[in-house]
């Protein structure tokens, strides 16, 4: 499920990796149960005779074609659709035979939000909405499992965690861009050394 480590850059690591939500499998599983039950019933009521075997084979082939046409594709789409969040970018991969992918550097993301209706809240998923500074301004990721957790992880990387550390996917040894650098209060002037002052005054008296 996770993206190959060979595709990660130096000092890059995976924060969250997941497939799309399992709700995409509800229809294929329901269809599988209906076809299996219907096919078994039809095969059982085929009358005895020379055509019984051929009829049962035809019923089985018809059921298999229905499953391949209406259930296999949604299942494979779910199997090969992944969302991966690293400390540097958001990676999406889709497709069965023809693979399509998109990498969004965290430095280009301006805003991230999510929404989920009542059904999504019950199932534990939602839609992640990402505003980026690229040519494709908005990216919609549907059916993200635990979307609130994904949103929190992205927010920590983008805008800093609860400890106030710099976000935006910047590593500790990297200097953030000028517009992202946080202003620091000037260091207070060092207090004079009491021992030095005492010695200075003592020398003046002498």
């Amino acid at each position: 499920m996770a993206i190959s480590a060979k595709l990660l850059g130096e000092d890059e690591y995976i924060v969250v990796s997941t497939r799309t939500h399992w709700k995409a499998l509800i229809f294929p599983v329901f269809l599988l149960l209906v076809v299996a039950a219907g096919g078994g019933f039809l095969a059982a009521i085929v009358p005895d005779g020379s055509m019984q075997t051929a009829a049962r084979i035809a019923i089985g082939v018809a059921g298999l074609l229905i499953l391949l046409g209406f259930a296999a594709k949604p299942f494979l789409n779910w199997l090969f659709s992944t969302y991966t969040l690293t400390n540097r970018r958001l990676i999406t991969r889709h497709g069965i035979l023809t693979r399509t992918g998109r990498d969004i550097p965290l430095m280009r993301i301006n805003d991230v939000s999510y929404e989920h209706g009542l059904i999504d809240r019950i199932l534990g998923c939602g839609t992640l909405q990402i505003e980026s500074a690229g040519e494709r301004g908005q990216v919609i990721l549907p059916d993200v499992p635990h979307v609130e957790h994904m949103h929190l992880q992205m927010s920590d990387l983008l805008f800093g965690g609860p400890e106030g550390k710099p976000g935006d996917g910047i590593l500790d040894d990297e200097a953030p861009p000028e517009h992202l650098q946080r202003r620091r209060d000037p260091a207070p002037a060092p207090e004079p050394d009491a021992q030095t002052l005492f010695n200075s005054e003592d020398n003046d008296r002498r």
Side-chain angles (χ1 to χ4, degrees):
M1 178 172 59
I3 192 170
S4 174
K6 297 179 181 179
L7 302 179
L8 298 178
E10 185 178 0
D11 296 326
E12 185 178 16
Y13 59 87
I14 295 175
V15 178
V16 179
S17 182
T18 182
R19 292 191 179 97
T20 55
H21 193 263
W22 56 263
K23 78 175 188 178
L25 301 179
I26 294 177
F27 175 75
V29 172
F30 175 77
L31 183 62
L32 174 62
L33 296 176
V34 171
V35 170
F41 174 76
L42 293 177
I45 64 174
V46 172
D48 296 335
S50 60
M51 298 298 295
Q52 184 183 54
T53 302
R56 289 179 174 175
I57 293 176
I59 292 172
V61 171
L64 182 61
L65 292 177
I66 292 174
L67 292 177
L68 290 177
F70 297 98
K73 184 176 181 180
F75 172 77
L76 293 176
N77 282 333
W78 170 83
L79 185 64
F80 292 103
S81 297
T82 59
Y83 302 136
T84 303
L85 175 66
T86 75
N87 61 318
R88 290 181 174 271
R89 54 186 169 146
L90 176 65
I91 306 169
T92 63
R93 295 291 184 267
H94 301 281
I96 303 171
L97 297 178
T98 302
R99 297 284 288 168
T100 60
R102 185 176 183 185
D103 296 1
I104 307 174
L106 296 185
M107 294 290 294
R108 287 186 169 270
I109 296 178
N110 299 325
D111 181 70
V112 56
S113 60
Y114 70 91
E115 64 178 15
H116 51 179
L118 179 60
I119 301 300
D120 287 343
R121 291 172 62 185
I122 294 174
L123 296 177
C125 64
T127 300
L128 201 64
Q129 300 176 346
I130 299 168
E131 299 286 344
S132 66
E135 297 179 358
R136 304 175 184 177
Q138 189 178 55
V139 179
I140 306 295
L141 303 182
D143 299 333
V144 179
H146 308 292
V147 65
E148 292 177 326
H149 177 69
M150 176 77 84
H151 176 264
L152 177 61
Q153 294 291 332
M154 290 192 66
S155 297
D156 284 349
L157 289 171
L158 290 169
F159 312 116
E163 299 179 357
K165 297 179 180 179
D168 300 286
I170 301 172
L171 298 176
D172 294 337
D173 57 350
E174 291 180 332
E178 184 176 353
H179 71 284
L180 293 177
Q181 293 180 1
R182 299 184 178 182
R183 296 182 178 179
R184 297 182 178 179
D185 296 334
E191 297 181 357
D193 188 358
Q195 183 66 29
T196 302
L197 290 177
F198 176 79
N199 292 339
S200 177
E201 291 178 358
D202 185 60
N203 291 335
D204 291 342
R205 290 177 182 176
R206 293 179 181 179

